[in-house]
Amino acid sequence: MDSHEPDPPRPCPAQAEPWDSVEVLYAWLEEHNRQPPGEALLLRMLKLAEETGEVAQAVIGAIGQNPRKGVSHDWDDVRAELCDVIVTAMVALRTLSPDARAVLAAHLARTTARTGTAPPPGGK
């Protein structure tokens, strides 16, 4: 491995709770961060935009919209890119708030309430 590349993050146990995995990723990023805190935060937000662009690229490739490239992706690629967006957003949220889990839960509750539907039983 190139000496300029950080070690990969520690693997998370199978079926780990998503926020536990986010904590591992966040800690790994913090350990290898070489930027001032404010700049690191901005770069994590920009990473989210990059990942979103990769979703768009995968969708365009899945439907063959680019005549020069044809069908270059499939819907599994789109699903994987969407997961990357979710993980990146969760890590960015964790960077902004140590209690990211509660922040997201409260936001989901408000969003669900706006639809006029009841929250799921047991808060799940």
Side-chain angles (χ1 to χ4, degrees):
M1 181 178 282
D2 186 324
S3 62
H4 297 292
E5 294 181 23
D7 295 332
R10 298 183 312 270
C12 294
Q15 302 298 318
E17 202 277 328
W19 286 109
D20 294 339
S21 298
V22 168
E23 283 298 325
V24 168
L25 293 169
Y26 169 78
W28 179 77
L29 286 169
E30 288 297 299
E31 180 181 334
H32 294 90
N33 178 40
R34 294 186 215 134
Q35 306 300 324
E39 194 171 318
L41 174 63
L42 293 175
L43 290 169
R44 287 191 193 156
M45 301 305 143
L46 289 174
K47 181 67 176 171
L48 184 55
E50 176 191 13
E51 295 295 346
T52 304
E54 290 176 9
V55 171
Q57 181 181 25
V59 169
I60 288 167
I63 63 175
Q65 179 61 30
N66 184 335
R68 184 175 56 80
K69 293 182 180 179
V71 175
S72 58
H73 293 74
D74 60 30
W75 293 105
D76 284 339
D77 295 321
V78 176
R79 284 186 275 278
E81 296 300 344
L82 285 169
C83 288
D84 286 347
V85 168
I86 292 165
V87 170
T88 302
M90 290 174 79
V91 171
L93 181 60
R94 170 57 186 89
T95 302
L96 280 173
S97 174
D99 200 6
R101 181 187 315 233
V103 171
L104 180 59
H107 186 82
L108 282 171
R110 288 189 304 273
T111 301
T112 304
R114 287 195 308 262
T115 67
T117 58
K124 293 184 179 185

